[in-house]
Amino acid sequence: MSSTKVIHALYNDDDVLMDAVKQTRKAHHHIEEVFTPFPVHGLDKAMGLAPTRLAICAFIYGCIGISVATWMMWNIMINDWPQDIGGKPSFSYLQNMPAFVPVMFEMTVFFAAHLMVITFYMRSRLWPFKKAENPDVRTTDDHFLMEVAVSGNEEEMISFFKGTGAVEVKVIEKH
């Protein structure tokens, strides 16, 4: 098993963190991860992360939901067991379409929502009983931690991060 050194720079203000992230990227240091107690608007863009494609997944899952709903209603209400409900004819799907719209909508939302949650957990690797990866408990309360891979002179990097406004800078062996 190989181990690598990373720098943990701890900040106590989100604006200082944003400036530090921009300075770190400008200095061409690789940011491994940023841990924050709450979402910081614009942090993903400042880190240079690619935009999420989860919206595309949501659309596809919605399409699957409406397809399943359409097939299910045609199969149950028209093909398999046609019934006269309230005097409505059951000869074709299109004649009964207005009555099926609420079911189609609900199945679209159901599939999109549930499959999005599953996709999010799989993409984030949040499995049941997974050990927490938070390197410092203060990041769940009021501090922000930037984890940066050590490249080059370690002492220069430490002084660089202290210059960005970090309240604490540590070098950690990461396994």
Side-chain angles (χ1 to χ4, degrees):
M1 181 173 6
S2 66
S3 64
T4 58
K5 286 186 177 183
V6 292
I7 289 181
H8 284 177
L10 200 66
Y11 300 89
N12 58 6
D13 187 282
D14 57 334
D15 293 326
V16 176
L17 170 75
M18 284 293 286
D19 291 337
V21 166
K22 290 173 185 173
Q23 290 176 37
T24 304
R25 293 236 334 157
K26 194 173 183 181
H28 302 291
H29 296 301
H30 177 67
I31 300 172
E32 298 281 336
E33 188 65 76
V34 176
F35 298 90
T36 64
F38 54 83
V40 178
H41 180 71
L43 184 61
D44 53 342
K45 195 174 279 189
M47 289 176 63
L49 299 177
T52 181
R53 295 183 302 264
L54 286 176
I56 296 168
C57 291
F59 178 75
I60 292 169
Y61 297 154
C63 289
I64 292 170
I66 200 166
S67 299
V68 168
T70 303
W71 173 82
M72 181 184 76
M73 289 181 298
W74 174 81
N75 195 36
I76 293 170
M77 299 298 290
I78 305 299
N79 185 39
D80 187 37
W81 194 10
Q83 299 178 43
D84 184 2
I85 300 172
K88 293 181 180 172
S90 56
F91 302 124
S92 75
Y93 184 82
L94 291 176
Q95 288 177 320
N96 289 296
M97 179 79 149
F100 294 156
V101 169
V103 176
M104 291 165 50
F105 172 77
E106 291 299 330
M107 289 290 282
T108 301
V109 172
F110 178 85
F111 270 70
H114 286 78
L115 292 175
M116 280 301 299
V117 168
I118 293 168
T119 301
F120 173 75
Y121 284 142
M122 289 174 58
R123 181 69 181 97
S124 301
R125 294 184 177 94
L126 291 173
W127 314 116
F129 311 109
K130 182 181 187 222
K131 185 177 179 254
E133 293 179 6
N134 193 354
D136 193 323
V137 294
R138 293 176 285 181
T139 61
T140 62
D141 187 24
D142 62 350
H143 281 73
F144 305 85
L145 187 138
M146 181 169 38
E147 185 177 280
V148 180
V150 173
S151 60
N153 189 338
E154 196 173 297
E155 294 301 321
E156 283 179 18
M157 288 185 75
I158 291 171
S159 64
F160 170 79
F161 286 110
K162 284 185 180 174
T164 63
V167 293
E168 184 180 312
V169 180
K170 293 189 281 187
V171 178
I172 306 290
E173 283 285 334
K174 192 172 179 182
H175 301 282

